[in-house]
Amino acid sequence: MGNNLDALTTIFTEFYYWVTVVFMFLIHVGFCMYEVGVSRRRNHLHTLMKNTMLIPLVTITFYFFGWWLYWALPNGPFITGPLLFDAGAPNLPTSPTMAPNLQDHITGVFWAAFLLFSWTVASIVSGSLIERVKSGAFWIIAIMIGSVTWIIDAAWGWHPLGWMVKVLGYHDAYASGVIHAIGGGTALGVLIVLGPRLGRFTKDGRARVFVPHNPWLVTIGLFLIYTGFWGFYAACNVPIISPETIGGQITGGTWTATTIYLTPTTLGAITINFLMSLSGGLMVAYILSKGDPFWTYSGGLAGVITASAGNDLYHPIQAFFIGGLGIFIAYKLHYWVENKFKIDDAVGAVAVHGYCGFLGCVFAGFLLWGYPSSPYEGFATINPLGNTIGGVIMFFVLGFIPGWIAAKILDGLGLLRVPREVELMGLDFRTLHEEEEARQEVRDAEKAMV
Amino acid sequence: MGSTWAVDLANIGPVYPWVGAELIMVIVAIVAWILWHIVQIKEEENEYAEDIKKYGGKEGIKKALDEHPS
């Protein structure tokens, strides 16, 4: 920090990311409440702990190797250049900048902001698998997506110098593809191997409805996810930077906020578009689902997710209609896939995150066709083909395929799914049984005192 | 890091103990992480096996379903 203005800018940036991390924590609180609300009473604790424990596991592995991948792999490697050892070195767990260091205010909070994205992407998968996946298996899958596959996609398509940005003109400012499509794609890959919950489908193939045991917990959970999403949007930005620091084609001396690609935007722009896409999603989902709270709330989330790829640049009316169109398609596709392939996605995550995330990439490619993807010279402009290929990479190549392979391996080892008897008794059976015995013991003792 | 804050902060970098031993600390942490998974997976498998042995018969499952139907 050479002078007071530099110091102020640095401390502001440090505080800015720190605030986003606190906000994003609410996403995880929301996911936990949502999943527990959807699960049946005999599976509450297992559902809660399965999601909670991804926090420490993804955190330590993201510290060990996930963060390094982001800085080392923007070129592929070997697509647009080599492995970036020099850029990766300060982000290794052995680096003095990855610890309390008075010369570095930013690495810690920037790492934490990305880590919270990692929790989110793992949490997206978590909800789909409830009531039958073994915790140990899920946590391995959570580490795979939270500390490996999503951060590879971020290096490729969510880094100012990522090869997908350079070659494809890929634009995904608020992570339709890099977080949501990969989360939904991974969930789908695992679900195919895992299979539906016992009793979910009748013998003639009709889906039975597993009613959420607590709709209030579900809706409050989704409200909290909305709240945390504000922090997520802010965390996707660089809060303040000068054209000189960017070092690209921007002329003049006007400082600005930017997207992760270092393309200019404002917090005002993304705030209005967040709300308009949320509104589009909520309104369409309400009509589609005939006022069903689960789908209406999910529709709001789906609206934001679909518009996120281009919410730095869309007109608010565009964001509104994109949000509505996203949930319309995802809702229809969800039930078609459920009935056709007997996929039991307990929380609709494949639809809300996966299909909407993919669609968000495609829509941005068309609406922002011809816009610059980067402030640097020589990058492809945003285009439909590049963004569609990007969406396929996120959903299928880095999402579905690794999810399916990981699930196959875990299934082959007998580690994926809880035994049939335990699923029927309930995954909390032992705890509930022990609690009941403890209560009975107290009751017996009290009766003996009469 | 020395034993006093009477320093120019512009010259101070890492302030944690054992500077220079980061690699050893990371290796120990990675071993602990892998061991945690091994222990957790073994315990989970054992717990399910015990529950099935004790309560996994038809009557036991029906009783559990009656006690915790939803």
Side-chain angles (χ1 to χ4, degrees), chain A residues 40-42 61 99-103 134-136 418 424 429-430 433, chain B residues 9-10 12-13 15-16 33 40 44-45 48 50-51 55 68-70:
Chain A
R40 287 165 291 176
R41 287 183 197 280
R42 59 177 186 261
T61 50
N101 187 322
L102 299 189
Q103 298 306 311
K134 284 181 180 171
S135 296
V418 299
L424 285 170
F429 174 77
R430 176 177 289 208
H433 191 73
Chain B
L9 296 182
I12 300 294
V15 290
Y16 50 86
W33 161 54
Q40 186 277 323
E44 190 175 17
E45 295 297 321
Y48 291 147
E50 277 176 27
D51 287 349
Y55 309 103
H68 310 289
S70 60

PDB file of all heavy atoms in Angstrom, chain A residues 40-42 61 99-103 134-136 418 424 429-430 433, chain B residues 9-10 12-13 15-16 33 40 44-45 48 50-51 55 68-70:
ATOM      1  N   ARG A  40     -38.392 -36.346   5.173  1.00  0.00           N
ATOM      2  CA  ARG A  40     -39.365 -36.873   6.120  1.00  0.00           C
ATOM      3  C   ARG A  40     -38.765 -36.910   7.524  1.00  0.00           C
ATOM      4  O   ARG A  40     -37.553 -36.925   7.674  1.00  0.00           O
ATOM      5  CB  ARG A  40     -39.821 -38.262   5.674  1.00  0.00           C
ATOM      6  CG  ARG A  40     -40.733 -38.193   4.458  1.00  0.00           C
ATOM      7  CD  ARG A  40     -40.898 -39.535   3.801  1.00  0.00           C
ATOM      8  NE  ARG A  40     -39.653 -39.958   3.164  1.00  0.00           N
ATOM      9  CZ  ARG A  40     -39.481 -41.132   2.573  1.00  0.00           C
ATOM     10  NH1 ARG A  40     -40.466 -41.998   2.553  1.00  0.00           N
ATOM     11  NH2 ARG A  40     -38.332 -41.439   2.010  1.00  0.00           N
ATOM     12  N   ARG A  41     -39.631 -36.942   8.549  1.00  0.00           N
ATOM     13  CA  ARG A  41     -39.159 -36.795   9.926  1.00  0.00           C
ATOM     14  C   ARG A  41     -38.101 -37.832  10.295  1.00  0.00           C
ATOM     15  O   ARG A  41     -37.219 -37.561  11.094  1.00  0.00           O
ATOM     16  CB  ARG A  41     -40.342 -36.916  10.898  1.00  0.00           C
ATOM     17  CG  ARG A  41     -41.243 -35.711  10.874  1.00  0.00           C
ATOM     18  CD  ARG A  41     -42.356 -35.826  11.899  1.00  0.00           C
ATOM     19  NE  ARG A  41     -43.412 -34.869  11.595  1.00  0.00           N
ATOM     20  CZ  ARG A  41     -43.352 -33.585  11.899  1.00  0.00           C
ATOM     21  NH1 ARG A  41     -42.314 -33.103  12.518  1.00  0.00           N
ATOM     22  NH2 ARG A  41     -44.346 -32.783  11.576  1.00  0.00           N
ATOM     23  N   ARG A  42     -38.199 -39.009   9.728  1.00  0.00           N
ATOM     24  CA  ARG A  42     -37.253 -40.057  10.130  1.00  0.00           C
ATOM     25  C   ARG A  42     -35.880 -39.880   9.467  1.00  0.00           C
ATOM     26  O   ARG A  42     -34.992 -40.715   9.682  1.00  0.00           O
ATOM     27  CB  ARG A  42     -37.828 -41.437   9.854  1.00  0.00           C
ATOM     28  CG  ARG A  42     -38.187 -41.728   8.416  1.00  0.00           C
ATOM     29  CD  ARG A  42     -38.686 -43.179   8.329  1.00  0.00           C
ATOM     30  NE  ARG A  42     -38.929 -43.596   6.960  1.00  0.00           N
ATOM     31  CZ  ARG A  42     -40.126 -43.619   6.391  1.00  0.00           C
ATOM     32  NH1 ARG A  42     -41.184 -43.224   7.054  1.00  0.00           N
ATOM     33  NH2 ARG A  42     -40.263 -44.060   5.150  1.00  0.00           N
ATOM     34  N   THR A  61     -10.226 -28.906   1.732  1.00  0.00           N
ATOM     35  CA  THR A  61      -9.703 -29.355   0.433  1.00  0.00           C
ATOM     36  C   THR A  61      -9.566 -28.185  -0.545  1.00  0.00           C
ATOM     37  O   THR A  61      -8.678 -28.180  -1.387  1.00  0.00           O
ATOM     38  CB  THR A  61     -10.592 -30.460  -0.176  1.00  0.00           C
ATOM     39  OG1 THR A  61     -11.965 -30.024  -0.155  1.00  0.00           O
ATOM     40  CG2 THR A  61     -10.461 -31.742   0.612  1.00  0.00           C
ATOM     41  N   ALA A  99      -1.998 -17.171   4.563  1.00  0.00           N
ATOM     42  CA  ALA A  99      -2.006 -17.175   6.023  1.00  0.00           C
ATOM     43  C   ALA A  99      -1.906 -15.722   6.480  1.00  0.00           C
ATOM     44  O   ALA A  99      -1.715 -14.836   5.639  1.00  0.00           O
ATOM     45  CB  ALA A  99      -0.805 -17.984   6.517  1.00  0.00           C
ATOM     46  N   PRO A 100      -2.061 -15.467   7.793  1.00  0.00           N
ATOM     47  CA  PRO A 100      -1.935 -14.072   8.245  1.00  0.00           C
ATOM     48  C   PRO A 100      -0.631 -13.435   7.774  1.00  0.00           C
ATOM     49  O   PRO A 100       0.461 -13.902   8.109  1.00  0.00           O
ATOM     50  CB  PRO A 100      -1.983 -14.214   9.773  1.00  0.00           C
ATOM     51  CG  PRO A 100      -2.815 -15.426   9.997  1.00  0.00           C
ATOM     52  CD  PRO A 100      -2.429 -16.370   8.890  1.00  0.00           C
ATOM     53  N   ASN A 101      -0.781 -12.369   6.975  1.00  0.00           N
ATOM     54  CA  ASN A 101       0.379 -11.766   6.330  1.00  0.00           C
ATOM     55  C   ASN A 101       0.069 -10.282   6.103  1.00  0.00           C
ATOM     56  O   ASN A 101      -0.868  -9.947   5.383  1.00  0.00           O
ATOM     57  CB  ASN A 101       0.625 -12.468   4.983  1.00  0.00           C
ATOM     58  CG  ASN A 101       1.897 -12.022   4.313  1.00  0.00           C
ATOM     59  OD1 ASN A 101       2.261 -10.845   4.349  1.00  0.00           O
ATOM     60  ND2 ASN A 101       2.594 -12.955   3.688  1.00  0.00           N
ATOM     61  N   LEU A 102       0.826  -9.428   6.737  1.00  0.00           N
ATOM     62  CA  LEU A 102       0.494  -7.995   6.695  1.00  0.00           C
ATOM     63  C   LEU A 102       0.717  -7.373   5.319  1.00  0.00           C
ATOM     64  O   LEU A 102       0.287  -6.249   5.073  1.00  0.00           O
ATOM     65  CB  LEU A 102       1.300  -7.244   7.760  1.00  0.00           C
ATOM     66  CG  LEU A 102       1.052  -7.676   9.214  1.00  0.00           C
ATOM     67  CD1 LEU A 102       1.733  -6.719  10.177  1.00  0.00           C
ATOM     68  CD2 LEU A 102      -0.434  -7.762   9.529  1.00  0.00           C
ATOM     69  N   GLN A 103       1.352  -8.086   4.434  1.00  0.00           N
ATOM     70  CA  GLN A 103       1.559  -7.555   3.080  1.00  0.00           C
ATOM     71  C   GLN A 103       0.452  -7.983   2.107  1.00  0.00           C
ATOM     72  O   GLN A 103       0.493  -7.630   0.931  1.00  0.00           O
ATOM     73  CB  GLN A 103       2.924  -8.024   2.528  1.00  0.00           C
ATOM     74  CG  GLN A 103       4.108  -7.541   3.349  1.00  0.00           C
ATOM     75  CD  GLN A 103       4.102  -6.034   3.533  1.00  0.00           C
ATOM     76  OE1 GLN A 103       3.947  -5.284   2.577  1.00  0.00           O
ATOM     77  NE2 GLN A 103       4.260  -5.581   4.766  1.00  0.00           N
ATOM     78  N   LYS A 134     -25.508 -42.440   1.193  1.00  0.00           N
ATOM     79  CA  LYS A 134     -24.665 -42.529   2.383  1.00  0.00           C
ATOM     80  C   LYS A 134     -23.898 -41.215   2.546  1.00  0.00           C
ATOM     81  O   LYS A 134     -23.434 -40.640   1.550  1.00  0.00           O
ATOM     82  CB  LYS A 134     -23.670 -43.685   2.252  1.00  0.00           C
ATOM     83  CG  LYS A 134     -24.290 -45.048   2.476  1.00  0.00           C
ATOM     84  CD  LYS A 134     -23.241 -46.142   2.350  1.00  0.00           C
ATOM     85  CE  LYS A 134     -23.869 -47.503   2.571  1.00  0.00           C
ATOM     86  NZ  LYS A 134     -22.945 -48.614   2.265  1.00  0.00           N
ATOM     87  N   SER A 135     -23.729 -40.792   3.780  1.00  0.00           N
ATOM     88  CA  SER A 135     -23.036 -39.526   4.033  1.00  0.00           C
ATOM     89  C   SER A 135     -21.615 -39.553   3.485  1.00  0.00           C
ATOM     90  O   SER A 135     -21.167 -38.594   2.836  1.00  0.00           O
ATOM     91  CB  SER A 135     -22.986 -39.242   5.533  1.00  0.00           C
ATOM     92  OG  SER A 135     -24.278 -39.075   6.035  1.00  0.00           O
ATOM     93  N   GLY A 136     -20.908 -40.643   3.744  1.00  0.00           N
ATOM     94  CA  GLY A 136     -19.510 -40.723   3.309  1.00  0.00           C
ATOM     95  C   GLY A 136     -19.379 -40.586   1.803  1.00  0.00           C
ATOM     96  O   GLY A 136     -18.445 -39.937   1.301  1.00  0.00           O
ATOM     97  N   VAL A 418     -27.594 -46.218   1.088  1.00  0.00           N
ATOM     98  CA  VAL A 418     -27.827 -46.883   2.374  1.00  0.00           C
ATOM     99  C   VAL A 418     -28.579 -48.192   2.119  1.00  0.00           C
ATOM    100  O   VAL A 418     -29.340 -48.291   1.146  1.00  0.00           O
ATOM    101  CB  VAL A 418     -28.636 -46.001   3.355  1.00  0.00           C
ATOM    102  CG1 VAL A 418     -27.906 -44.719   3.676  1.00  0.00           C
ATOM    103  CG2 VAL A 418     -30.016 -45.711   2.830  1.00  0.00           C
ATOM    104  N   LEU A 424     -35.807 -47.894   4.865  1.00  0.00           N
ATOM    105  CA  LEU A 424     -37.196 -48.039   5.294  1.00  0.00           C
ATOM    106  C   LEU A 424     -37.378 -47.627   6.757  1.00  0.00           C
ATOM    107  O   LEU A 424     -38.350 -46.955   7.102  1.00  0.00           O
ATOM    108  CB  LEU A 424     -37.649 -49.490   5.106  1.00  0.00           C
ATOM    109  CG  LEU A 424     -37.927 -49.909   3.657  1.00  0.00           C
ATOM    110  CD1 LEU A 424     -38.130 -51.419   3.577  1.00  0.00           C
ATOM    111  CD2 LEU A 424     -39.134 -49.183   3.088  1.00  0.00           C
ATOM    112  N   PHE A 429     -32.830 -43.664  12.411  1.00  0.00           N
ATOM    113  CA  PHE A 429     -33.439 -44.691  13.242  1.00  0.00           C
ATOM    114  C   PHE A 429     -32.718 -44.845  14.573  1.00  0.00           C
ATOM    115  O   PHE A 429     -33.328 -44.828  15.642  1.00  0.00           O
ATOM    116  CB  PHE A 429     -33.461 -46.030  12.499  1.00  0.00           C
ATOM    117  CG  PHE A 429     -33.944 -47.155  13.364  1.00  0.00           C
ATOM    118  CD1 PHE A 429     -35.295 -47.304  13.627  1.00  0.00           C
ATOM    119  CD2 PHE A 429     -33.037 -48.034  13.940  1.00  0.00           C
ATOM    120  CE1 PHE A 429     -35.742 -48.323  14.442  1.00  0.00           C
ATOM    121  CE2 PHE A 429     -33.476 -49.057  14.760  1.00  0.00           C
ATOM    122  CZ  PHE A 429     -34.827 -49.200  15.003  1.00  0.00           C
ATOM    123  N   ARG A 430     -31.405 -44.998  14.514  1.00  0.00           N
ATOM    124  CA  ARG A 430     -30.660 -45.256  15.746  1.00  0.00           C
ATOM    125  C   ARG A 430     -30.833 -44.098  16.734  1.00  0.00           C
ATOM    126  O   ARG A 430     -31.100 -44.317  17.915  1.00  0.00           O
ATOM    127  CB  ARG A 430     -29.172 -45.470  15.450  1.00  0.00           C
ATOM    128  CG  ARG A 430     -28.367 -45.648  16.716  1.00  0.00           C
ATOM    129  CD  ARG A 430     -26.925 -45.919  16.433  1.00  0.00           C
ATOM    130  NE  ARG A 430     -26.747 -47.257  15.880  1.00  0.00           N
ATOM    131  CZ  ARG A 430     -25.634 -47.957  16.035  1.00  0.00           C
ATOM    132  NH1 ARG A 430     -24.627 -47.469  16.711  1.00  0.00           N
ATOM    133  NH2 ARG A 430     -25.517 -49.154  15.498  1.00  0.00           N
ATOM    134  N   HIS A 433     -34.322 -43.998  18.120  1.00  0.00           N
ATOM    135  CA  HIS A 433     -34.519 -45.130  19.011  1.00  0.00           C
ATOM    136  C   HIS A 433     -33.867 -44.858  20.368  1.00  0.00           C
ATOM    137  O   HIS A 433     -34.471 -45.080  21.425  1.00  0.00           O
ATOM    138  CB  HIS A 433     -33.894 -46.371  18.356  1.00  0.00           C
ATOM    139  CG  HIS A 433     -34.250 -47.639  19.034  1.00  0.00           C
ATOM    140  ND1 HIS A 433     -35.498 -48.204  18.933  1.00  0.00           N
ATOM    141  CD2 HIS A 433     -33.525 -48.457  19.835  1.00  0.00           C
ATOM    142  CE1 HIS A 433     -35.519 -49.320  19.643  1.00  0.00           C
ATOM    143  NE2 HIS A 433     -34.328 -49.490  20.193  1.00  0.00           N
TER     144      HIS A 433
ATOM    145  N   LEU B   9       5.453  -1.417   9.744  1.00  0.00           N
ATOM    146  CA  LEU B   9       4.593  -2.496   9.228  1.00  0.00           C
ATOM    147  C   LEU B   9       4.869  -2.788   7.751  1.00  0.00           C
ATOM    148  O   LEU B   9       4.566  -3.880   7.261  1.00  0.00           O
ATOM    149  CB  LEU B   9       3.119  -2.134   9.415  1.00  0.00           C
ATOM    150  CG  LEU B   9       2.654  -2.003  10.872  1.00  0.00           C
ATOM    151  CD1 LEU B   9       1.160  -1.699  10.920  1.00  0.00           C
ATOM    152  CD2 LEU B   9       2.960  -3.267  11.667  1.00  0.00           C
ATOM    153  N   ALA B  10       5.460  -1.809   7.065  1.00  0.00           N
ATOM    154  CA  ALA B  10       5.789  -2.036   5.656  1.00  0.00           C
ATOM    155  C   ALA B  10       6.827  -3.152   5.496  1.00  0.00           C
ATOM    156  O   ALA B  10       6.956  -3.735   4.418  1.00  0.00           O
ATOM    157  CB  ALA B  10       6.313  -0.753   5.029  1.00  0.00           C
ATOM    158  N   ILE B  12       6.844  -5.915   7.482  1.00  0.00           N
ATOM    159  CA  ILE B  12       6.362  -7.147   8.127  1.00  0.00           C
ATOM    160  C   ILE B  12       5.483  -7.937   7.164  1.00  0.00           C
ATOM    161  O   ILE B  12       4.543  -7.398   6.581  1.00  0.00           O
ATOM    162  CB  ILE B  12       5.547  -6.822   9.405  1.00  0.00           C
ATOM    163  CG1 ILE B  12       6.407  -6.055  10.403  1.00  0.00           C
ATOM    164  CG2 ILE B  12       5.005  -8.099  10.042  1.00  0.00           C
ATOM    165  CD1 ILE B  12       7.555  -6.836  10.978  1.00  0.00           C
ATOM    166  N   GLY B  13       5.779  -9.198   6.977  1.00  0.00           N
ATOM    167  CA  GLY B  13       4.970 -10.075   6.136  1.00  0.00           C
ATOM    168  C   GLY B  13       4.205 -11.076   6.992  1.00  0.00           C
ATOM    169  O   GLY B  13       3.288 -10.688   7.724  1.00  0.00           O
ATOM    170  N   VAL B  15       2.937 -13.395   9.962  1.00  0.00           N
ATOM    171  CA  VAL B  15       3.002 -13.165  11.412  1.00  0.00           C
ATOM    172  C   VAL B  15       2.644 -14.426  12.212  1.00  0.00           C
ATOM    173  O   VAL B  15       2.471 -14.356  13.412  1.00  0.00           O
ATOM    174  CB  VAL B  15       2.061 -12.005  11.830  1.00  0.00           C
ATOM    175  CG1 VAL B  15       2.594 -10.678  11.335  1.00  0.00           C
ATOM    176  CG2 VAL B  15       0.643 -12.240  11.341  1.00  0.00           C
ATOM    177  N   TYR B  16       2.516 -15.568  11.551  1.00  0.00           N
ATOM    178  CA  TYR B  16       2.125 -16.789  12.247  1.00  0.00           C
ATOM    179  C   TYR B  16       3.369 -17.537  12.742  1.00  0.00           C
ATOM    180  O   TYR B  16       4.471 -17.318  12.230  1.00  0.00           O
ATOM    181  CB  TYR B  16       1.289 -17.689  11.326  1.00  0.00           C
ATOM    182  CG  TYR B  16       1.891 -17.941   9.964  1.00  0.00           C
ATOM    183  CD1 TYR B  16       2.804 -18.976   9.754  1.00  0.00           C
ATOM    184  CD2 TYR B  16       1.571 -17.118   8.877  1.00  0.00           C
ATOM    185  CE1 TYR B  16       3.365 -19.201   8.515  1.00  0.00           C
ATOM    186  CE2 TYR B  16       2.130 -17.332   7.626  1.00  0.00           C
ATOM    187  CZ  TYR B  16       3.031 -18.376   7.453  1.00  0.00           C
ATOM    188  OH  TYR B  16       3.593 -18.592   6.226  1.00  0.00           O
ATOM    189  N   TRP B  33      -6.951 -35.364   7.156  1.00  0.00           N
ATOM    190  CA  TRP B  33      -8.176 -35.321   6.332  1.00  0.00           C
ATOM    191  C   TRP B  33      -8.514 -36.715   5.781  1.00  0.00           C
ATOM    192  O   TRP B  33      -9.658 -37.174   5.885  1.00  0.00           O
ATOM    193  CB  TRP B  33      -7.971 -34.311   5.199  1.00  0.00           C
ATOM    194  CG  TRP B  33      -8.916 -34.475   4.039  1.00  0.00           C
ATOM    195  CD1 TRP B  33     -10.269 -34.511   4.089  1.00  0.00           C
ATOM    196  CD2 TRP B  33      -8.553 -34.644   2.660  1.00  0.00           C
ATOM    197  NE1 TRP B  33     -10.788 -34.687   2.822  1.00  0.00           N
ATOM    198  CE2 TRP B  33      -9.757 -34.762   1.929  1.00  0.00           C
ATOM    199  CE3 TRP B  33      -7.344 -34.678   1.977  1.00  0.00           C
ATOM    200  CZ2 TRP B  33      -9.774 -34.939   0.546  1.00  0.00           C
ATOM    201  CZ3 TRP B  33      -7.364 -34.837   0.593  1.00  0.00           C
ATOM    202  CH2 TRP B  33      -8.562 -34.977  -0.101  1.00  0.00           C
ATOM    203  N   GLN B  40     -14.684 -42.299   9.222  1.00  0.00           N
ATOM    204  CA  GLN B  40     -16.109 -41.998   9.055  1.00  0.00           C
ATOM    205  C   GLN B  40     -16.818 -43.081   8.250  1.00  0.00           C
ATOM    206  O   GLN B  40     -17.899 -43.541   8.630  1.00  0.00           O
ATOM    207  CB  GLN B  40     -16.252 -40.633   8.356  1.00  0.00           C
ATOM    208  CG  GLN B  40     -17.692 -40.124   8.249  1.00  0.00           C
ATOM    209  CD  GLN B  40     -18.438 -40.711   7.062  1.00  0.00           C
ATOM    210  OE1 GLN B  40     -17.860 -40.914   6.003  1.00  0.00           O
ATOM    211  NE2 GLN B  40     -19.718 -40.999   7.245  1.00  0.00           N
ATOM    212  N   GLU B  44     -19.804 -45.501   9.602  1.00  0.00           N
ATOM    213  CA  GLU B  44     -21.122 -45.481   8.959  1.00  0.00           C
ATOM    214  C   GLU B  44     -21.533 -46.896   8.548  1.00  0.00           C
ATOM    215  O   GLU B  44     -22.674 -47.314   8.775  1.00  0.00           O
ATOM    216  CB  GLU B  44     -21.101 -44.544   7.741  1.00  0.00           C
ATOM    217  CG  GLU B  44     -22.486 -44.286   7.170  1.00  0.00           C
ATOM    218  CD  GLU B  44     -22.487 -43.261   6.037  1.00  0.00           C
ATOM    219  OE1 GLU B  44     -21.416 -42.984   5.471  1.00  0.00           O
ATOM    220  OE2 GLU B  44     -23.578 -42.751   5.706  1.00  0.00           O
ATOM    221  N   GLU B  45     -20.603 -47.629   7.953  1.00  0.00           N
ATOM    222  CA  GLU B  45     -20.900 -49.005   7.520  1.00  0.00           C
ATOM    223  C   GLU B  45     -21.244 -49.879   8.731  1.00  0.00           C
ATOM    224  O   GLU B  45     -22.191 -50.668   8.690  1.00  0.00           O
ATOM    225  CB  GLU B  45     -19.695 -49.597   6.771  1.00  0.00           C
ATOM    226  CG  GLU B  45     -19.369 -48.910   5.459  1.00  0.00           C
ATOM    227  CD  GLU B  45     -20.479 -49.020   4.430  1.00  0.00           C
ATOM    228  OE1 GLU B  45     -21.109 -50.083   4.340  1.00  0.00           O
ATOM    229  OE2 GLU B  45     -20.742 -48.020   3.726  1.00  0.00           O
ATOM    230  N   TYR B  48     -24.795 -49.129  10.159  1.00  0.00           N
ATOM    231  CA  TYR B  48     -25.880 -49.711   9.367  1.00  0.00           C
ATOM    232  C   TYR B  48     -25.958 -51.220   9.574  1.00  0.00           C
ATOM    233  O   TYR B  48     -27.048 -51.783   9.722  1.00  0.00           O
ATOM    234  CB  TYR B  48     -25.687 -49.400   7.875  1.00  0.00           C
ATOM    235  CG  TYR B  48     -25.881 -47.948   7.514  1.00  0.00           C
ATOM    236  CD1 TYR B  48     -25.152 -47.365   6.489  1.00  0.00           C
ATOM    237  CD2 TYR B  48     -26.802 -47.160   8.199  1.00  0.00           C
ATOM    238  CE1 TYR B  48     -25.319 -46.030   6.149  1.00  0.00           C
ATOM    239  CE2 TYR B  48     -26.974 -45.818   7.866  1.00  0.00           C
ATOM    240  CZ  TYR B  48     -26.233 -45.258   6.843  1.00  0.00           C
ATOM    241  OH  TYR B  48     -26.405 -43.948   6.518  1.00  0.00           O
ATOM    242  N   GLU B  50     -25.029 -52.965  12.160  1.00  0.00           N
ATOM    243  CA  GLU B  50     -25.564 -53.258  13.506  1.00  0.00           C
ATOM    244  C   GLU B  50     -27.071 -53.053  13.553  1.00  0.00           C
ATOM    245  O   GLU B  50     -27.805 -53.869  14.116  1.00  0.00           O
ATOM    246  CB  GLU B  50     -24.909 -52.334  14.539  1.00  0.00           C
ATOM    247  CG  GLU B  50     -23.556 -52.813  15.015  1.00  0.00           C
ATOM    248  CD  GLU B  50     -22.917 -51.794  15.960  1.00  0.00           C
ATOM    249  OE1 GLU B  50     -23.668 -51.038  16.612  1.00  0.00           O
ATOM    250  OE2 GLU B  50     -21.676 -51.748  15.998  1.00  0.00           O
ATOM    251  N   ASP B  51     -27.532 -51.957  12.965  1.00  0.00           N
ATOM    252  CA  ASP B  51     -28.968 -51.665  12.978  1.00  0.00           C
ATOM    253  C   ASP B  51     -29.759 -52.743  12.243  1.00  0.00           C
ATOM    254  O   ASP B  51     -30.838 -53.150  12.684  1.00  0.00           O
ATOM    255  CB  ASP B  51     -29.245 -50.292  12.346  1.00  0.00           C
ATOM    256  CG  ASP B  51     -28.825 -49.157  13.257  1.00  0.00           C
ATOM    257  OD1 ASP B  51     -28.524 -49.432  14.428  1.00  0.00           O
ATOM    258  OD2 ASP B  51     -28.783 -48.009  12.785  1.00  0.00           O
ATOM    259  N   TYR B  55     -32.476 -54.748  14.242  1.00  0.00           N
ATOM    260  CA  TYR B  55     -33.863 -54.338  13.993  1.00  0.00           C
ATOM    261  C   TYR B  55     -34.316 -54.555  12.551  1.00  0.00           C
ATOM    262  O   TYR B  55     -35.428 -54.174  12.193  1.00  0.00           O
ATOM    263  CB  TYR B  55     -34.019 -52.838  14.296  1.00  0.00           C
ATOM    264  CG  TYR B  55     -33.490 -52.426  15.631  1.00  0.00           C
ATOM    265  CD1 TYR B  55     -32.268 -51.761  15.744  1.00  0.00           C
ATOM    266  CD2 TYR B  55     -34.204 -52.697  16.796  1.00  0.00           C
ATOM    267  CE1 TYR B  55     -31.765 -51.372  16.972  1.00  0.00           C
ATOM    268  CE2 TYR B  55     -33.714 -52.315  18.033  1.00  0.00           C
ATOM    269  CZ  TYR B  55     -32.483 -51.643  18.118  1.00  0.00           C
ATOM    270  OH  TYR B  55     -32.005 -51.274  19.337  1.00  0.00           O
ATOM    271  N   HIS B  68     -42.343 -43.968  13.270  1.00  0.00           N
ATOM    272  CA  HIS B  68     -41.904 -42.763  12.549  1.00  0.00           C
ATOM    273  C   HIS B  68     -42.430 -42.824  11.114  1.00  0.00           C
ATOM    274  O   HIS B  68     -41.691 -43.063  10.171  1.00  0.00           O
ATOM    275  CB  HIS B  68     -40.375 -42.678  12.531  1.00  0.00           C
ATOM    276  CG  HIS B  68     -39.780 -42.859  13.878  1.00  0.00           C
ATOM    277  ND1 HIS B  68     -39.890 -41.922  14.867  1.00  0.00           N
ATOM    278  CD2 HIS B  68     -39.086 -43.889  14.411  1.00  0.00           C
ATOM    279  CE1 HIS B  68     -39.280 -42.363  15.949  1.00  0.00           C
ATOM    280  NE2 HIS B  68     -38.794 -43.548  15.709  1.00  0.00           N
ATOM    281  N   PRO B  69     -43.728 -42.620  10.950  1.00  0.00           N
ATOM    282  CA  PRO B  69     -44.343 -42.864   9.642  1.00  0.00           C
ATOM    283  C   PRO B  69     -43.942 -41.868   8.552  1.00  0.00           C
ATOM    284  O   PRO B  69     -43.983 -42.209   7.383  1.00  0.00           O
ATOM    285  CB  PRO B  69     -45.843 -42.768   9.927  1.00  0.00           C
ATOM    286  CG  PRO B  69     -45.956 -41.960  11.176  1.00  0.00           C
ATOM    287  CD  PRO B  69     -44.709 -42.194  11.956  1.00  0.00           C
ATOM    288  N   SER B  70     -43.629 -40.618   8.901  1.00  0.00           N
ATOM    289  CA  SER B  70     -43.374 -39.654   7.826  1.00  0.00           C
ATOM    290  C   SER B  70     -42.067 -38.914   8.062  1.00  0.00           C
ATOM    291  O   SER B  70     -41.450 -39.070   9.085  1.00  0.00           O
ATOM    292  CB  SER B  70     -44.498 -38.644   7.754  1.00  0.00           C
ATOM    293  OG  SER B  70     -44.581 -37.951   8.978  1.00  0.00           O
TER     294      SER B  70
END
